[in-house]
Amino acid sequence: IIIIKMIAKSKYNNALNNLKYYGLGYSLDCLKQSLDLLKESKSEFYDKDLADKIISLQSKIESIQKADNQYQSKNYGEALRLYEQAVNSSEDLKEILKEKYDKIKEEYKNQFEKELKQGDDLFKKVKLNEALNYYKELLNKYPKTTQAQEAKKLLKKYR
């Protein structure tokens, strides 16, 4: 049993350490193997604490996969939300996937700025009501941008 636990722990560490280089699927495979090793029966594990860590990491990686799918669909806001949800409670994941996170944040910001320009164009064409409604939609669609947070403060101030 001790050797099984050591191998399972090694597979867990392998999944975490190789996440950046071999991808999410590889890490999920390692975690599944690790969990399978720890199974004493269908619902019992030799090392419950390690099994809980494995299950938690699996769940986070599955959320990151969903975030990646949203990113591929150019739904950057949802990708950012799912990604943050997955990595916020794990400093290891945050550090390992920093580049990916920064890329998602940058795309989110770029998409916001592109759509903001469309609102600005409406404003320049003196379509004030349309522009105002468009800006309000953007504030709801992109609440995490610095510009949206500043605009919300201004709206509160002048209401």
Side-chain angles (χ1 to χ4, degrees):
I1 293 177
I2 293 172
I3 292 173
I4 289 172
K5 289 181 183 180
M6 288 173 55
I7 294 170
K9 179 73 172 167
S10 174
K11 290 253 179 216
Y12 171 84
N13 289 331
N14 193 24
L16 191 58
N17 294 331
N18 289 310
L19 190 59
K20 187 174 183 177
Y21 305 106
Y22 297 110
L24 303 175
Y26 175 81
S27 291
L28 283 172
D29 288 344
C30 287
L31 293 172
K32 183 183 180 319
Q33 292 168 7
S34 182
L35 204 55
D36 288 344
L37 286 170
L38 290 176
K39 282 188 180 173
E40 187 175 338
S41 67
K42 285 190 176 190
S43 61
E44 297 294 319
F45 295 98
Y46 292 118
D47 184 333
K48 178 83 170 103
D49 291 337
L50 180 56
D52 288 344
K53 282 176 67 174
I54 293 167
I55 292 166
S56 175
L57 184 56
Q58 278 179 321
S59 175
K60 290 173 184 175
I61 291 174
E62 288 166 355
S63 288
I64 293 168
Q65 281 183 318
K66 290 176 187 173
D68 285 351
N69 291 338
Q70 292 297 320
Y71 179 83
Q72 294 302 321
S73 299
K74 298 188 185 312
N75 188 354
Y76 303 120
E78 182 64 9
L80 189 61
R81 185 190 71 75
L82 287 167
Y83 194 84
E84 287 174 343
Q85 179 183 348
V87 302
N88 272 347
S89 60
S90 172
E91 288 303 316
D92 290 336
L93 282 178
K94 235 183 230 182
E95 186 60 36
I96 290 168
L97 300 170
K98 184 179 181 340
E99 285 178 29
K100 182 182 281 198
Y101 177 68
D102 289 345
K103 186 176 179 181
I104 292 170
K105 277 178 48 177
E106 186 64 28
E107 289 292 346
Y108 178 77
K109 181 181 167 224
N110 291 342
Q111 187 178 36
F112 170 76
E113 288 173 355
K114 182 178 175 182
E115 291 186 35
L116 182 63
K117 189 174 183 331
Q118 292 173 346
D120 292 345
D121 290 343
L122 288 171
F123 185 78
K124 288 175 187 173
K125 293 176 184 174
V126 194
K127 296 181 178 183
L128 302 180
N129 283 334
E130 285 180 56
L132 185 58
N133 288 333
Y134 190 82
Y135 288 139
K136 286 179 183 177
E137 286 177 28
L138 287 180
L139 292 179
N140 292 325
K141 188 175 177 181
Y142 298 95
K144 294 182 180 193
T145 61
T146 305
Q147 297 98 321
Q149 291 169 4
E150 290 171 4
K152 284 181 181 181
K153 287 177 190 174
L154 282 173
L155 284 174
K156 285 180 183 178
K157 183 178 177 181
Y158 291 106
R159 279 189 181 165

